[in-house]
Tab-separated table of all heavy atoms in Angstrom:
chain	number	residue	atom	x	y	z
A	237	ALA	N	15.037	-13.073	-1.621
A	237	ALA	CA	13.637	-13.149	-2.051
A	237	ALA	C	13.573	-13.367	-3.560
A	237	ALA	O	12.754	-14.145	-4.056
A	237	ALA	CB	12.891	-11.873	-1.668
A	238	GLY	N	14.402	-12.644	-4.298
A	238	GLY	CA	14.441	-12.801	-5.747
A	238	GLY	C	13.256	-12.196	-6.471
A	238	GLY	O	13.071	-12.417	-7.668
A	239	VAL	N	12.424	-11.451	-5.747
A	239	VAL	CA	11.270	-10.773	-6.358
A	239	VAL	C	11.227	-9.328	-5.863
A	239	VAL	O	11.893	-8.977	-4.879
A	239	VAL	CB	9.925	-11.463	-5.997
A	239	VAL	CG1	9.822	-12.838	-6.641
A	239	VAL	CG2	9.726	-11.538	-4.482
A	240	TYR	N	10.426	-8.521	-6.535
A	240	TYR	CA	10.225	-7.118	-6.149
A	240	TYR	C	9.785	-7.012	-4.694
A	240	TYR	O	8.966	-7.801	-4.209
A	240	TYR	CB	9.143	-6.516	-7.049
A	240	TYR	CG	8.694	-5.115	-6.657
A	240	TYR	CD1	9.525	-4.019	-6.864
A	240	TYR	CD2	7.433	-4.892	-6.101
A	240	TYR	CE1	9.117	-2.738	-6.521
A	240	TYR	CE2	7.010	-3.614	-5.761
A	240	TYR	CZ	7.860	-2.537	-5.967
A	240	TYR	OH	7.448	-1.274	-5.629
A	241	ALA	N	10.343	-6.027	-3.984
A	241	ALA	CA	9.907	-5.779	-2.609
A	241	ALA	C	9.729	-4.287	-2.407
A	241	ALA	O	10.551	-3.481	-2.862
A	241	ALA	CB	10.932	-6.319	-1.623
A	242	VAL	N	8.628	-3.914	-1.755
A	242	VAL	CA	8.366	-2.511	-1.448
A	242	VAL	C	8.245	-2.392	0.065
A	242	VAL	O	7.541	-3.170	0.708
A	242	VAL	CB	7.116	-1.986	-2.203
A	242	VAL	CG1	5.851	-2.766	-1.867
A	242	VAL	CG2	6.902	-0.490	-1.962
A	243	GLY	N	8.992	-1.440	0.631
A	243	GLY	CA	9.057	-1.346	2.084
A	243	GLY	C	8.220	-0.213	2.649
A	243	GLY	O	8.073	0.836	2.023
A	244	GLU	N	7.729	-0.450	3.861
A	244	GLU	CA	6.965	0.586	4.568
A	244	GLU	C	7.903	1.416	5.435
A	244	GLU	O	8.508	0.906	6.364
A	244	GLU	CB	5.902	-0.073	5.460
A	244	GLU	CG	5.068	0.945	6.212
A	244	GLU	CD	4.760	0.568	7.659
A	244	GLU	OE1	5.435	-0.325	8.223
A	244	GLU	OE2	3.861	1.186	8.251
A	245	VAL	N	8.020	2.706	5.098
A	245	VAL	CA	8.805	3.652	5.897
A	245	VAL	C	7.831	4.753	6.294
A	245	VAL	O	7.550	5.656	5.507
A	245	VAL	CB	9.987	4.227	5.086
A	245	VAL	CG1	10.791	5.205	5.926
A	245	VAL	CG2	10.891	3.104	4.571
A	246	LEU	N	7.271	4.630	7.488
A	246	LEU	CA	6.207	5.567	7.885
A	246	LEU	C	6.831	6.859	8.384
A	246	LEU	O	7.226	6.965	9.546
A	246	LEU	CB	5.313	4.920	8.954
A	246	LEU	CG	3.875	5.443	9.076
A	246	LEU	CD1	3.089	4.676	10.123
A	246	LEU	CD2	3.766	6.933	9.333
A	247	ILE	N	6.892	7.842	7.493
A	247	ILE	CA	7.505	9.131	7.827
A	247	ILE	C	7.039	10.179	6.827
A	247	ILE	O	6.793	9.870	5.674
A	247	ILE	CB	9.055	9.019	7.795
A	247	ILE	CG1	9.739	10.210	8.472
A	247	ILE	CG2	9.573	8.903	6.370
A	247	ILE	CD1	10.421	9.840	9.742
A	248	ASN	N	6.904	11.407	7.291
A	248	ASN	CA	6.575	12.497	6.373
A	248	ASN	C	7.854	13.289	6.085
A	248	ASN	O	7.988	14.438	6.494
A	248	ASN	CB	5.494	13.389	6.997
A	248	ASN	CG	5.026	14.460	6.026
A	248	ASN	OD1	5.390	14.445	4.852
A	248	ASN	ND2	4.242	15.400	6.508
A	249	ASP	N	8.784	12.650	5.425
A	249	ASP	CA	10.082	13.277	5.174
A	249	ASP	C	10.706	12.572	3.964
A	249	ASP	O	11.164	11.428	4.060
A	249	ASP	CB	10.948	13.105	6.436
A	249	ASP	CG	12.359	13.677	6.285
A	249	ASP	OD1	12.834	13.832	5.133
A	249	ASP	OD2	12.983	13.936	7.312
A	250	THR	N	10.702	13.260	2.831
A	250	THR	CA	11.148	12.626	1.598
A	250	THR	C	12.614	12.231	1.634
A	250	THR	O	12.994	11.174	1.136
A	250	THR	CB	10.878	13.547	0.388
A	250	THR	OG1	9.550	14.039	0.490
A	250	THR	CG2	11.009	12.793	-0.918
A	251	SER	N	13.467	13.073	2.230
A	251	SER	CA	14.881	12.690	2.194
A	251	SER	C	15.140	11.471	3.074
A	251	SER	O	15.929	10.606	2.711
A	251	SER	CB	15.829	13.855	2.516
A	251	SER	OG	15.379	14.558	3.609
A	252	TYR	N	14.439	11.381	4.202
A	252	TYR	CA	14.588	10.193	5.064
A	252	TYR	C	14.099	8.942	4.326
A	252	TYR	O	14.797	7.927	4.263
A	252	TYR	CB	13.791	10.401	6.358
A	252	TYR	CG	13.883	9.261	7.353
A	252	TYR	CD1	14.713	9.345	8.469
A	252	TYR	CD2	13.127	8.097	7.194
A	252	TYR	CE1	14.797	8.301	9.394
A	252	TYR	CE2	13.205	7.050	8.094
A	252	TYR	CZ	14.040	7.155	9.200
A	252	TYR	OH	14.106	6.121	10.104
A	253	ALA	N	12.900	9.011	3.757
A	253	ALA	CA	12.310	7.829	3.114
A	253	ALA	C	13.093	7.409	1.867
A	253	ALA	O	13.307	6.220	1.624
A	253	ALA	CB	10.850	8.102	2.756
A	254	SER	N	13.534	8.405	1.086
A	254	SER	CA	14.117	8.089	-0.221
A	254	SER	C	15.421	7.307	-0.114
A	254	SER	O	15.734	6.504	-0.995
A	254	SER	CB	14.344	9.373	-1.023
A	254	SER	OG	15.221	10.234	-0.321
A	255	ASP	N	16.175	7.494	0.961
A	255	ASP	CA	17.455	6.786	1.050
A	255	ASP	C	17.259	5.267	1.057
A	255	ASP	O	18.147	4.522	0.628
A	255	ASP	CB	18.235	7.230	2.294
A	255	ASP	CG	19.671	6.718	2.245
A	255	ASP	OD1	20.271	6.737	1.148
A	255	ASP	OD2	20.182	6.255	3.284
A	256	TYR	N	16.071	4.811	1.518
A	256	TYR	CA	15.826	3.363	1.525
A	256	TYR	C	15.785	2.776	0.115
A	256	TYR	O	15.971	1.570	-0.057
A	256	TYR	CB	14.545	3.040	2.308
A	256	TYR	CG	14.779	3.178	3.804
A	256	TYR	CD1	14.614	4.394	4.446
A	256	TYR	CD2	15.232	2.099	4.548
A	256	TYR	CE1	14.875	4.537	5.804
A	256	TYR	CE2	15.500	2.219	5.911
A	256	TYR	CZ	15.316	3.448	6.532
A	256	TYR	OH	15.595	3.575	7.867
A	257	SER	N	15.572	3.636	-0.898
A	257	SER	CA	15.541	3.101	-2.267
A	257	SER	C	16.927	2.658	-2.730
A	257	SER	O	17.064	2.008	-3.761
A	257	SER	CB	14.938	4.120	-3.241
A	257	SER	OG	15.733	5.279	-3.321
Side-chain angles (χ1 to χ4, degrees):
V239 292
Y240 173 72
V242 59
E244 180 221 17
V245 180
L246 205 177
I247 195 111
N248 185 8
D249 178 338
T250 313
S251 45
Y252 181 102
S254 60
D255 192 40
Y256 286 88
S257 64

